[in-house]
Amino acid sequence: MHTFDSLLAQITPSAGPTRDITDPATGEVVGQAPIHTVADLDAAVKRAASAQSDWAALGHSTRSELMLAAADAIDASAEALAQLLTREQGKPLNGPNARFEVGGASGWLRAAASTPLDSQTVIDDGESHAVLHYRPIGVVGAIGPWNWPMMISVWQIAPALRMGNTVVVKPSEYTPLSVLALVTVMNEVLPGGVLQVVTGDREVGARLSSHPDIDKLMFTGSTATGKAIIRSSADTVKRLTLELGGNDAGIVLPDVDPAAIAQDLFWGAFINTGQTCAAMKRLYVHDSVYDAVVDELAAVAASMPMGVGTDENNVLGPLQNKSQFDIVSRLVEEARASGARVVMGGNPDADGPGYFYPTTLVADVNNDNALVQEEQFGPALPIIRYSDVDEALAMANGLDVGLGASVWSSDRDAAREVAAQVEAGTVWINSHGGVHPMIPFGGVKQSGYGLEFGVEGLKALGVPQVING
Ligand code: NAD
């Protein structure tokens, strides 16, 4: 069991080049991350390759026991991990934030450890006999983003380990400490070489995606990087799971009770201060309830405190980095200049420390505005008026991404009919963005391909082999 100080001490490099990691809420230095090179990555892949056959040979039940023990280790150091996550990523301890994320990390690990994946007899009719098995793939590379660094790393690591693969993780250069700490805690119980972290920049990521001894790559990040990975993985015909960017639409039908849905609408859009892949990033509201929905949403938003994450009262934090802050600022300014109505927020404090951007609602904005068309990935929600559900569907489906979406209605069956017409990997009814370790999750269009979680997620970390005869 770690304290914040003992955890930080354990992940602080004793030798080699390092760089300072700063707290996005205060600008203070949190700690030092090692600067790993392509040579370090190659050495890690070699260790992972030599550890893989012994790990696979342990069998499902022993691997599962070790993974459950790793989940216990995370729980034992949960508060130290949450403190570090808050300091590095910026998200508050409370609300659906740092403590929630650490709990999700151990929860997903347990779910992957406990989910059976049996071989499947596909035919046995006296003439033919064929059984589909899932064998380990080998060494899996995992490249992650900075928004949910611990949880998303576990989404990639857990099914890979469960299926008998070894893993080399490359965290985002913005949040290396969180992933180093998580893996350090897990490695208190896992055998050596099975799970390693290499911190590094895009060059290290690019090497991972072209490495001849990486057999599968799990990638979560932007669509642009996903496209680069597809290209650089082509020569080795690497298997890929790509969870890429989104621009999720919410469609509010005319029969809603605005006060009843306002809180769920708020968290659907503003969880992790909007820095969430499957957050609601554009909201289409029927004309008949438009003003009431905007008013109720603004009332909820005004009640949600934003500030330094170590303050137990806050539930919203800063943007994680300057470039994300600049993207959100630019998009809101462009919307304002186009004549859209900034209902609340929109004026960040230029003098204060930290990348705080206030909770912002932008109403009466045109669908062709950049705040609607581009992924803002921050706390600024455009709300678009519509009068006909087909028009709302056309706008929702009009982009080349499709991660999640939501439909809001008092009539669940009517909502399901609309949901079936939305081009997205998941369409939630009367909520947005909730994930569950047993419910498959993945995008369509340029939001990527491959499924994570549950049985489908385990299959994605195995090589299918048919024994025919
Ligand atoms: P990013 O694509 O900039 O970086 C992600 C990771 O890719 C980082 O670790 C980075 O070092 C690495 N990388 C950069 N260039 C690379 C290359 N050429 N080859 C290999 N790796 C490379 O993304 P980000 O800004 O960290 O994350 C935000 C984006 O991620 C948003 O678009 C968001 O929607 C998306 N996202 C998607 C999901 C999902 O499940 N679909 C979840 C979280 C975030």
Side-chain angles (χ1 to χ4, degrees):
M1 175 183 162
H2 281 284
T3 63
F4 173 77
D5 289 337
S6 73
L7 191 56
L8 194 59
Q10 187 143 356
I11 63 171
T12 299
S14 52
T18 62
R19 78 193 165 83
D20 287 347
I21 300 293
T22 51
D23 182 334
T26 63
E28 290 166 8
V29 173
V30 179
Q32 280 76 41
I35 302 175
H36 288 141
T37 61
V38 166
D40 295 322
L41 172 69
D42 289 348
V45 173
K46 211 169 180 180
R47 279 193 296 274
S50 62
Q52 194 267 326
S53 54
D54 283 352
W55 176 245
L58 289 179
H60 280 296
S61 65
T62 304
R63 285 198 303 272
S64 291
E65 277 167 27
L66 286 164
M67 289 172 63
L68 292 173
D72 291 344
I74 292 173
D75 285 348
S77 292
E79 185 58 20
L81 287 164
Q83 294 276 347
L84 183 61
L85 182 59
T86 292
R87 301 275 297 277
E88 178 178 63
Q89 204 284 334
K91 64 181 65 189
L93 290 168
N94 281 329
N97 292 299
R99 289 178 177 133
F100 168 82
E101 179 169 349
V102 175
S106 62
W108 252 267
L109 200 50
R110 284 202 177 87
S114 309
T115 303
L117 176 59
D118 297 325
S119 300
Q120 186 191 344
T121 302
V122 284
I123 190 161
D124 184 15
D125 63 0
E127 279 179 30
S128 299
H129 182 260
V131 181
L132 175 61
H133 303 271
Y134 289 88
R135 309 290 188 207
I137 306 175
V139 181
V140 171
I143 302 179
W146 45 259
N147 57 343
W148 293 87
M150 290 188 187
M151 185 118 93
I152 289 176
S153 293
V154 168
W155 291 355
Q156 300 174 329
I157 293 167
L161 293 181
R162 170 72 169 76
M163 295 303 291
N165 309 289
T166 53
V167 183
V168 177
V169 189
K170 203 228 55 88
S172 165
E173 44 274 55
Y174 290 111
T175 50
L177 301 181
S178 299
V179 178
L180 277 165
L182 178 86
V183 168
T184 297
V185 169
M186 290 175 68
N187 276 339
E188 286 165 4
V189 294
L190 295 176
V194 164
L195 175 61
Q196 300 169 81
V197 184
V198 175
T199 62
D201 57 11
R202 285 161 183 262
E203 203 195 336
V204 174
R207 170 68 176 157
L208 199 52
S209 59
S210 63
H211 201 296
D213 297 326
I214 292 286
D215 303 295
K216 160 116 197 185
L217 195 66
M218 303 289 287
F219 174 72
T220 298
S222 65
T223 297
T225 306
K227 289 177 183 175
I229 284 174
I230 293 169
R231 286 185 206 102
S232 58
S233 65
D235 282 344
T236 50
V237 196
K238 229 175 270 319
R239 287 156 191 274
L240 301 175
T241 292
L242 300 175
E243 295 287 357
L244 309 180
N247 194 344
D248 290 12
I251 301 177
V252 176
L253 300 183
D255 65 353
V256 295
D257 173 353
I261 63 169
Q263 177 117 350
D264 289 333
L265 278 178
F266 175 81
W267 283 117
F270 291 94
I271 184 167
N272 200 23
T273 317
Q275 303 162 104
T276 299
C277 51
M280 194 166 60
K281 291 170 181 149
R282 43 197 179 115
L283 180 58
Y284 297 95
V285 182
H286 191 268
D287 191 41
S288 61
V289 286
Y290 187 90
D291 293 333
V293 168
V294 171
D295 288 350
E296 295 291 348
L297 192 51
V300 172
S303 73
M304 298 291 178
M306 177 186 287
V308 175
T310 47
D311 180 332
E312 301 272 350
N313 291 320
N314 291 326
V315 293
L316 299 167
L319 288 163
Q320 205 283 326
N321 53 71
K322 171 83 165 55
S323 81
Q324 199 60 48
F325 178 90
D326 290 344
I327 290 170
V328 176
S329 303
R330 170 180 64 81
L331 290 172
V332 172
E333 280 320 304
E334 282 180 25
R336 197 199 305 266
S338 77
R341 178 164 57 97
V342 179
V343 176
M344 63 184 292
N347 288 310
D349 176 2
D351 301 327
Y355 306 124
F356 288 100
Y357 195 94
T359 306
T360 300
L361 297 177
V362 180
D364 297 322
V365 56
N366 285 333
N367 192 53
D368 59 6
N369 192 276
L371 180 60
V372 182
Q373 298 286 313
E374 294 176 29
E375 186 187 31
Q376 71 278 51
F377 217 61
L381 181 67
I383 310 170
I384 305 102
R385 202 185 283 269
Y386 77 87
S387 52
D388 175 81
V389 72
D390 288 337
E391 177 198 2
L393 278 166
M395 291 190 285
N397 291 336
L399 302 186
D400 56 13
V401 287
L403 188 56
S406 55
V407 179
W408 304 72
S409 170
S410 300
D411 179 345
R412 201 166 276 277
D413 288 335
R416 286 184 180 137
E417 275 182 33
V418 175
Q421 299 171 68
V422 179
E423 295 164 4
T426 302
V427 187
W428 288 274
I429 311 284
N430 294 334
S431 68
H432 195 118
V435 286
H436 184 287
M438 293 310 293
I439 302 178
F441 177 73
V444 301
K445 297 163 123 179
Q446 292 191 21
S447 289
Y449 46 75
L451 286 171
E452 297 189 272
F453 312 161
V455 174
E456 298 306 320
L458 293 184
K459 287 179 181 173
L461 271 307
V463 178
Q465 182 190 43
V466 174
I467 307 281
N468 187 342

